[in-house]
Amino acid sequence: MGKPKKSVRFIIPPYSSNRADWRRLVNKTAFKAMQSAGVKYLPSDKIEIWIQLCLPLTQFKKMDVDNMAKIAIDALQGLRLGDNRKSRSLHVIIPNDNQIHRLIVEKYDTLIESGGEIKIRKFGGYRLSTRVGKKVR
């Protein structure tokens, strides 16, 4: 028996100006992808997430990647707008965002409204540069 699959990739719906609707759609899409891939993340799993956002030029100029990433991560945790962690009302994809050890967010401008893609996988370890992580004397 091989190792259980710990990676999933899925297309996300185009961003909606209604954040609650978009969060719900991202959650639904992620849940379907997780089910079909047979992936489940445990609270003890360290993970990394790669988010690519493809936005029409009008949204590209207005949208901040950090805000969009937060909405997407909340969707992956099963949180609706205004929910606290004890009253999740969507599917839980990632039990807690403190499991995220690497997060890469990119945004692209596009002529069509395409949404983008999210990839979630088991964290592969740290890659420190030569300057980071050295002891200071």
Side-chain angles (χ1 to χ4, degrees):
M1 179 185 266
K3 287 184 176 181
K5 188 174 177 184
K6 286 288 185 178
S7 177
V8 67
R9 175 184 241 159
F10 52 94
I11 302 298
I12 55 175
Y15 182 74
S16 165
S17 58
N18 184 323
R19 293 182 301 164
D21 286 346
W22 190 65
R23 187 179 299 195
R24 199 168 30 259
L25 289 170
V26 169
N27 181 270
K28 183 179 177 181
T29 305
F31 182 69
K32 285 181 181 179
M34 299 284 281
Q35 281 187 316
S36 66
V39 175
K40 182 171 174 79
Y41 294 107
L42 302 173
S44 59
D45 289 334
K46 295 177 183 177
I47 58 173
E48 59 186 49
I49 300 176
W50 176 45
I51 303 172
Q52 285 186 310
L53 304 163
C54 299
L55 303 164
L57 195 55
T58 54
Q59 287 181 329
F60 181 82
K61 292 179 178 180
K62 292 190 281 183
M63 302 305 298
D64 295 335
V65 294
D66 58 330
N67 293 333
M68 293 188 73
K70 180 65 178 152
I71 296 168
I73 291 168
D74 284 349
L76 296 175
Q77 291 181 92
L79 301 173
R80 284 194 321 182
L81 205 57
D83 279 355
N84 63 37
R85 298 201 190 289
K86 294 181 182 176
S87 65
R88 297 173 196 235
S89 53
L90 301 174
H91 300 287
V92 176
I93 311 302
I94 298 168
N96 196 313
D97 59 3
N98 69 9
Q99 296 175 250
I100 303 170
H101 286 248
R102 180 175 294 132
L103 174 64
I104 300 168
V105 185
E106 303 171 316
K107 75 175 182 178
Y108 301 95
D109 62 325
T110 180
L111 297 175
I112 58 170
E113 212 172 293
S114 60
E117 182 177 45
I118 294 179
K119 182 176 182 178
I120 308 169
R121 66 182 182 192
K122 190 172 179 183
F123 178 62
Y126 297 101
R127 295 179 215 130
L128 296 178
S129 72
T130 56
R131 294 182 191 198
V132 177
K134 287 188 174 182
K135 290 184 180 178
V136 180
R137 295 179 188 234

